[in-house]
Each structure stands twice: as C-alpha cells, then as structure tokens.
C-alpha cells in the first residue's frame, strides 16, 4: 500500500504560517503608518490588525466553503475584494460609534478611510495571490511526490514478483510425487517411462530458477504448460483431461515466462485436484483482427472458488508481471464457469510492451 | 489363523500399483484386499472389508487423509504415505506413527513391514498428531473468514473480483454497485450483508448506502456539519461520509 503524502488543507481557519506572515505584515505596516501620520501606534495597529484579520478569515473561509460553480481561487479573491471596504467601514463604525457619518463627511478623514480601503485591497489581493501560488506549488510537489512513491511501489512490487518467481517455482510436493510415478513406470517396465521422463525434464528445464530469460515466447510457455499437464495426466488419468490450443499465429509473441503455467497450476491444484470426479483444463487464445488485442485464457471445470477463499500470491504475481510486460492497460480477470469452474483471461496489446 | 489384510489408498493409480508390487515382493502373504482413490471410497471399503492395515495417502481429494484417518481411528493399523510434508514427517516421528515417503524406498518399506508383521501397535499418540496436522494443513481453523471474492454478472459472464481491487460499494435501488479498478457491476448482496462479510480492517461503511475500501482512499476532506468526503486514488468518484460514520476517520 502506498503511503499518502499530506496535501495542502482546505480548512475554515488559516494555517499557522499564514497567520504569522499576516501578523508580521500588519506590525510593519502599522509602524510605518504610525511614523508617517503621527497617529498613536496602538490605534493604527488596532485598525489595520482588525482589517487584516477580517481579510485573512475571508480568504480562508472562501477556500473552504465556496459554492461548487465558483472555483476556490475566484471565490477567495472575490471575498477579499468584498471584505476590504466592509472591514474598513466596520473599523470606522467601531471607533466612531454614532459619529461615523460626520467622520466620513470630513474630507481629511474620508481620504484616510479611502486610503485604508485601497491599502487593504492592495495588500489583501497581493498576499492572496502569493498564498495561492505557494499553495499550488505545494500541491504540485505533493502530487509529484505521491506519483513518485506510487512508481517506486510498483517497481518494488515487480521486483518482489520476480524474486518470488525465482524462489518457489518447483514445488517439492509436485516433484517427489512425479518422481514416484516415474519410478513406478520404470519398475513396471512400462514403455511410457521414457516419454514421461522427457516431459519431466522439459518441465524442470523451463521451471528451473534463472535470472535472465533470453527470449521468452508464448510458444515456449505453451510447451511448458503442455509438459506440466502431461505429467499431471499421467498422475491422475481418471480425473484430468486437457487441451492446449496451438496458436501458431502467436508463437513468436514475447511473453512473461511462467505466467500461463502459474494459472494452469492453479487450475489443477485448486480446481481439479480437490474434486473427486476431476475435470477438464483448456488453454486457448487469439488476436482480435481489428484492434490487435490479444486474449489468452485458461479455463477449468473444477470445484471453483469459494467466496471466502484466500487469493494466493500466484495471481497477483501474474498480474504484476503482465503490467510490467505489456503496460498498465493489460489486465487479468477471472470468471466463474457454469456449472462450476473458473476461467482466467489475460487481455493485452503486445505493442505496448516496455 | 487368517492372513493379514491391507487396503491401499492413493489418488494416483500408478502409485497404488507400485505400492502393491512393492508389498508383493516384501510381504507375499499380505492380502491386499482393495484400493481406494479418495476419502469417502476408503471409508466405504473399510466398512466392507475391515482390513488390518490401511496405507493412507494424506493428500487426497474429497475428504483429506487426515480427516479420513480420524474417521478410521483405532479400528485399523494406519500407515501414512506422503510425498513431501516436512512438518507431517516431524509429527509422525514424534508420535511414533508408521509412515512412508514417496518415492518409496525398498529398505525403508522392509523396516515398516517388519514392524507390521509383529503387529507392534504404533500410534499411541495418533489423535494428538492428527490434531497437530489438521492445524497445519487446513486453514479452516481460522476463526472468521472474510469475503475475498465478489461474484458479479457482467454481460453474460460471472466475474470473480478480488476484494483488494474493489474501490467501493454503493446501494442502487434493489442492487449494489461494485466499482473496482477495471470496471463497475451490479450485485445482489446488500450493503448490510457486505458490511458484515467484509474484513473491517480494509472496508468501512461511510454512509447508509456506501462501503469504501480504505486501501484506495487518497484523502479525507472534512466538510461542514460533521461530514466529510473521501477522494480515491485513480478514480474520480467522491464518496460521502455522513455524520454517523465520521468516527471512522477521526484519527486519520
């Protein structure tokens, strides 16, 4: 599971960082105005602080609760534009009380008031733009980091899949049971001993762990699957039938080694083997003439999958390697067969391979 | 005195034949009265033939060897046969129970035959060993089995969707919509049934009509009035979290 990178929040209240920056600007501006106009510092700070707080809250709230048809960016700027004169007017009302109309009628104080609105607008809008820009950058950085994490996770998954493939391919239980059968044929002097031994050798050669497969093709994979099924049919002749399609048109297709085998082994182990009457395994496929899409499938008429059956690592492994081979639009899906059994389908475009 | 009788049980015919011929050489007087391919057949033949010895493969379809052994109990002398089960071998060794390993080695079989001839009763600890094996083999001992596959009709096929891939379930009138990484489908199971059958470690009900898979949630965004929205990875759908279910996300 990929961890999630925290993204910039959209809460009602401003962040600590935003509050600190606004406080700094308010203090600086108040001091400058106090120095320029000789108004007492506390009076200037009170007014500017009040307006700035209103603007900051307007900016922050508009981001959190703007209507769906209005983008957050526009909502924030609009809130600041509306709030600037409103907050300034409120300071006048608060400081002058009932004298507010006489106060605003005087040219000198009106000029001061307008100056405050203009300052509020300029600072409010500039700082809003700046904040939104840094927020956007932060969001982009978070997204980028998230994408990188996901890519890393995918690469790690693929590596895991390859390692697991190297570790546990030939199951000892399978190997010893098959050898017991070969020994039985040899002891009985059966003419089948030779061919069966050759199938086992073909299977072992293909399934032996190795780091680099030179040119894995669908043809070699189908041979491997054939060798495996032949061995299993020798072991359970009354319970297993199978057909493997030849697919000459796809023989040269580059194909992730052991992918079909894993599906066929699953079909035998979890479908046919638990069934007393056994069943049939079929492997087939084809290329869509129009789209070029390739479909391969493995179906069985075994016992099927219980809804609570723990999925093994095999399927996930095949899925991961299929993606690595043919790109993200390759997929593996499972279907229930009627009356019972499972059909696994692989769908992919061969030209998408990486 | 009647001769000793035996039953051979293995799902692989060549191996049954091989054991029969092995025993024929090493113990010609032994009468092999029958062979069986699976658990139920074994029990049926046992009732008919009452053999003194049963050679029993522990890996079989139907009723597996361990369950079959339990059903046979002490009414016969059991010799277990296995290809490769390290822990089973250890259990047999500790419980002093006769066993053979495939491919069967003649010398080893000769030893076993020697002991069987004098009918030295082995397996004093049979029940304990069977319990131990059952614990290792079958995962059915797990206290609770959560739903792992969703069966959904898509076109004229029934898809089997691993629950890991499911993003969310949402009630849609009489059906439930299941959305997974590769598509959407309608199923008959209700949200209520699903909420009981799915593993609560991954699946959380977020709304009267919605169950989300936490593994696919990218972020949780608080809304007003004690609600929230779930944004998913690689999916545009935004899922509602209603007030009654918000407690699942308090610590996130």
């Amino acid at each position: 599971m990929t961890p999630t990178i925290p993204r910039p929040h959209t809460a009602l209240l401003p962040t600590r960082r935003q509050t600190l920056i606004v406080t700094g600007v308010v203090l600086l501006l108040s001091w400058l105005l106090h120095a320029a106009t000789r108004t007492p510092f506390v009076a200037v700070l009170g007014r500017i602080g009040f307006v700035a707080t209103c603007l900051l809250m307007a900016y922050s709230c508009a981001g959190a609760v703007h209507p769906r048809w209005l983008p957050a960016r526009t909502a924030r700027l609009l809130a600041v534009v509306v709030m600037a004169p409103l907050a300034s007017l409120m300071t006048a009302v608060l400081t002058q009380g009932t004298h507010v109309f006489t106060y605003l009628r005087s040219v000198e104080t009106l000029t001061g008031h307008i100056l405050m609105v203009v300052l509020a607008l300029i600072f409010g809008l500039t700082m809003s733009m700046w904040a939104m820009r840094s927020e956007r950058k932060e969001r982009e950085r978070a997204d980028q980091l998230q994408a990188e994490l996901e890519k890393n996770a995918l690469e790690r998954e693929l590596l895991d899949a390859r390692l697991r493939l190297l570790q546990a391919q030939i199951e000892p239980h399978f190997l010893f049971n098959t050898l017991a059968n070969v020994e039985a044929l040899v002891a009985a002097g059966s003419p089948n001993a030779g061919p069966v031994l050759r199938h086992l050798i073909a299977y072992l050669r293909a399934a032996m762990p190795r780091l680099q497969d030179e040119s894995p093709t669908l043809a070699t994979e189908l041979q491997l699957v054939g060798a495996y099924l032949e061995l299993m049919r020798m072991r359970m002749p009354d319970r297993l039938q199978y057909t493997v399609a030849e697919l000459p048109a796809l023989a040269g297709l580059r194909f992730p080694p052991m992918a079909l085998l894993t599906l066929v082994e699953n079909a035998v182990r979890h479908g046919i083997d638990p069934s007393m009457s056994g069943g049939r395994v079929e492997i087939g496929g084809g290329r869509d003439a129009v789209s070029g899409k390739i479909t391969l499938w493995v179906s069985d008429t075994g016992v099927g999958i219980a809804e609570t059956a723990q999925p093994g690592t095999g399927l996930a492994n095949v899925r991961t390697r299929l993606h690595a081979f043919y790109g993200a639009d390759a997929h593996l899906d499972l279907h229930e067969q009627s009356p019972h059994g499972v059909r696994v389908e692989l769908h992919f475009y061969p030209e998408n391979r990486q | 005195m009647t001769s000793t009788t035996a039953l051979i049980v293995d799902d692989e015919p060549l191996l049954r034949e091989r054991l029969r011929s092995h025993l024929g050489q090493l113990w010609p007087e032994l009468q092999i009265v029958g062979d069986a391919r699976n658990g139920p057949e074994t029990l049926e033949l046992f009732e008919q033939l009452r053999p003194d010895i049963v050679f029993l493969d522990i890996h079989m379809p139907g009723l597996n060897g361990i369950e079959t052994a339990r059903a046979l109990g002490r009414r016969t002398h059991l010799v277990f046969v296995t290809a490769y089960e390290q822990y089973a071998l250890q259990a047999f060794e500790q419980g002093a129970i006769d066993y053979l390993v495939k491919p069967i080695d003649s010398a080893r079989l000769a030893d076993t035959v020697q002991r069987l001839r004098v009918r030295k009763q082995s397996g004093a600890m049979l029940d304990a060993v069977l319990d131990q094996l059952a614990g290792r083999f079958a995962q059915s001992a797990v206290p609770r089995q959560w739903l792992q596959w969703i069966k959904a009709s898509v076109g004229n096929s029934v898809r089997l969707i691993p629950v890991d891939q499911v993003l969310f379930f949402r009630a849609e009138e009489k059906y439930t919509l299941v959305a997974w990484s590769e598509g959407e489908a309608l199923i008959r199971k209700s949200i209520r049934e699903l909420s009981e059958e799915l593993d609560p470690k991954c699946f959380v009900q977020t709304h009267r009509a919605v169950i989300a898979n936490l593994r696919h949630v990218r972020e949780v965004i608080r809304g007003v009035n004690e609600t929230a929205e779930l944004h998913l990875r690689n999916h545009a759908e935004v899922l509602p979290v209603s007030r009654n279910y918000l407690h699942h996300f308090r610590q996130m």
Side-chain angles (χ1 to χ4, degrees):
Chain A
M1 190 179 163
T2 334
T4 309
I5 299 291
R7 292 154 60 89
H9 79 157
T10 41
L12 276 176
L13 290 174
T15 61
R16 184 177 299 182
R17 197 176 107 109
Q18 289 169 338
T19 317
L20 275 174
I21 293 174
V22 169
T23 312
V25 171
V26 164
L27 284 171
L28 191 70
L29 195 61
S30 306
W31 186 81
L32 283 174
L33 283 176
H34 153 71
T37 61
R38 301 272 157 220
T39 328
F41 179 71
V42 179
V44 183
L45 181 65
R47 285 185 174 199
I48 293 190
F50 178 78
V51 174
T53 310
C54 289
L55 289 179
L56 183 58
M57 284 308 295
Y59 172 85
S60 169
C61 291
V65 296
H66 61 93
R68 281 196 182 278
W69 48 266
L70 195 63
R73 199 178 151 76
T74 323
R76 286 180 149 160
L77 293 179
L78 210 62
V80 169
V81 169
V82 172
M83 188 53 91
L86 218 61
S88 308
L89 191 65
M90 259 155 41
T91 59
V93 173
L94 286 174
T95 50
Q96 304 300 315
T98 48
H99 307 297
V100 65
F101 292 105
T102 31
Y103 169 76
L104 285 179
R105 224 167 273 150
S106 147
V107 176
E108 196 180 324
T109 48
L110 185 62
T111 316
H113 184 76
I114 288 171
L115 180 71
M116 182 133 103
V117 174
V118 171
L119 274 179
L121 275 175
I122 291 173
F123 275 88
L125 287 177
T126 316
M127 287 177 71
S128 298
M129 306 276 260
W130 184 49
M132 284 191 294
R133 205 180 134 214
S134 67
E135 220 169 81
R136 200 183 59 230
K137 281 196 169 164
E138 205 180 316
R139 203 178 282 271
E140 277 169 7
R141 221 177 11 249
D143 282 348
Q144 199 182 342
L145 214 54
Q146 182 72 46
E148 252 165 51
L149 267 179
E150 270 164 23
K151 188 165 156 264
N152 281 348
L154 210 67
E155 277 167 9
R156 207 169 43 237
E157 228 172 82
L158 181 62
L159 193 66
D160 279 355
R162 287 204 179 120
L163 282 178
R164 265 200 304 276
L165 200 66
L166 288 180
Q167 276 165 5
Q169 211 31 252
I170 302 163
E171 229 204 322
H173 190 266
F174 166 81
L175 185 58
F176 286 113
N177 251 320
T178 307
L179 284 173
N181 276 272
V182 173
E183 195 263 350
L185 289 173
V186 172
S190 162
N192 280 336
V196 164
L197 203 50
R198 276 194 288 280
H199 285 304
L200 180 60
I201 291 167
Y203 172 82
L204 288 179
R205 180 159 291 148
M208 206 49 93
R210 68 207 127 153
L211 280 167
Q212 210 72 53
D213 198 306
E214 319 74 44
S215 56
T217 62
L218 185 62
T220 51
E221 182 72 7
L222 287 175
Q223 276 166 17
L224 173 61
V225 163
Y228 171 78
L229 283 169
E230 195 49 48
L231 290 173
M232 289 314 290
R233 184 163 59 184
M234 163 196 69
R235 288 175 45 186
M236 33 169 130
D238 48 344
R239 291 199 294 140
L240 173 66
Q241 299 98 48
Y242 73 86
T243 43
V244 181
E246 296 226 348
L247 310 177
L250 301 176
L253 176 75
R254 225 171 64 91
F255 190 78
M258 320 289 294
L260 270 186
L261 182 72
T262 306
L263 302 180
V264 172
E265 280 177 337
N266 272 349
V268 172
R269 199 177 304 155
H270 305 300
I272 309 295
D273 196 28
S275 159
M276 289 204 285
S277 53
R280 179 173 195 82
V281 174
E282 284 181 28
I283 293 109
R287 188 202 299 261
D288 187 286
V290 182
S291 64
K293 183 179 178 179
I294 290 178
T295 301
L296 297 173
W297 45 266
V298 173
S299 71
D300 70 72
T301 58
V303 295
I305 297 179
E307 282 183 323
T308 52
Q310 202 74 40
T313 52
L315 275 183
N317 202 323
V318 172
R319 189 174 273 127
T320 307
R321 298 176 60 237
L322 206 63
H323 285 164
F325 237 74
Y326 301 116
D329 61 350
H331 58 270
L332 176 159
D333 42 57
L334 278 80
H335 303 256
E336 197 173 57
Q337 296 247 99
S338 177
H340 44 77
V342 175
R343 176 185 171 98
V344 185
E345 294 181 358
L346 308 179
H347 303 272
F348 54 88
Y349 292 94
E351 59 271 27
N352 278 5
R353 69 173 197 223
Q354 292 164 352
Chain B
M1 184 190 152
T2 54
S3 61
T4 311
T5 56
L7 180 66
I8 293 177
V9 185
D10 196 316
D11 60 321
E12 302 190 17
L14 281 171
L15 302 188
R16 291 197 299 267
E17 273 317 302
R18 183 64 182 126
L19 183 57
R20 193 189 273 268
S21 76
H22 256 313
L23 286 168
Q25 283 163 14
L26 291 166
W27 192 357
E29 313 85 79
L30 179 71
Q31 253 196 307
I32 295 164
V33 288
D35 51 21
R37 298 174 298 169
N38 52 51
E41 254 183 41
T42 308
L43 297 185
E44 203 187 307
L45 277 178
F46 180 82
E47 294 304 331
Q48 281 175 26
L49 306 168
R50 293 283 167 173
D52 303 307
I53 303 166
V54 175
F55 292 91
L56 183 64
D57 182 11
I58 56 174
H59 174 89
M60 280 190 311
L63 200 60
N64 73 34
I66 295 158
E67 291 164 68
T68 311
R70 243 194 248 285
L72 294 176
R74 294 170 180 286
R75 293 182 289 165
T76 185
H77 189 117
L78 284 172
V79 179
F80 288 91
V81 185
T82 178
Y84 179 89
E85 259 99 15
Q86 201 55 49
Y87 44 88
L89 302 189
Q90 277 165 13
F92 294 147
E93 206 66 67
Q94 281 161 15
I97 288 167
D98 284 322
Y99 69 93
L100 295 167
V101 180
K102 294 189 266 191
I104 291 165
D105 172 52
S106 297
R108 165 85 205 204
L109 183 60
D111 278 356
T112 307
V113 164
Q114 207 56 49
R115 261 183 303 162
L116 290 171
R117 272 179 194 276
V118 296
R119 301 301 282 284
K120 186 180 136 201
Q121 188 60 48
S122 80
M125 293 163 68
L126 181 67
D127 294 328
V129 170
L130 290 178
D131 285 346
Q132 196 181 337
L133 287 184
R136 290 296 295 265
F137 267 110
Q139 274 134 21
S140 56
V142 177
R144 175 84 201 237
Q145 289 202 310
W146 303 110
L147 205 59
Q148 301 290 349
W149 299 91
I150 300 297
K151 296 185 178 181
S153 295
V154 178
N156 47 15
S157 141
V158 178
R159 287 287 294 262
L160 286 158
I161 305 152
V163 294
D164 290 359
Q165 289 191 2
V166 172
L167 307 171
F168 62 87
F169 298 93
R170 190 174 56 210
E172 306 255 307
E173 304 198 353
K174 276 191 287 182
Y175 299 93
T176 302
L177 177 96
V178 49
W180 76 100
S181 46
E182 286 164 4
E184 288 183 351
L186 292 174
I187 56 174
R188 285 182 186 280
K189 245 184 199 154
S190 67
I191 289 290
R192 180 197 289 267
E193 288 169 276
L194 287 166
S195 72
E196 282 165 13
E197 292 174 32
L198 288 162
D199 185 352
K201 273 209 229 64
C202 300
F203 288 90
V204 163
Q205 186 158 9
T206 67
H207 183 275
R208 189 172 43 80
V210 178
I211 294 175
N213 185 348
L214 293 180
R215 285 173 194 271
H216 293 280
V217 171
R218 192 188 63 204
E219 57 184 335
V220 182
I221 295 181
R222 282 292 178 84
V224 284
N225 201 10
E226 292 287 287
T227 62
E229 287 179 339
L230 296 185
H231 291 245
L232 304 170
R233 269 183 242 273
N234 310 322
H235 199 281
E237 188 93 11
V238 175
L239 302 175
V241 181
S242 59
R243 183 197 293 245
N244 290 344
Y245 300 98
L246 192 66
H247 61 272
H248 292 304
F249 303 97
R250 285 269 145 90
Q251 290 95 347
M252 288 180 80

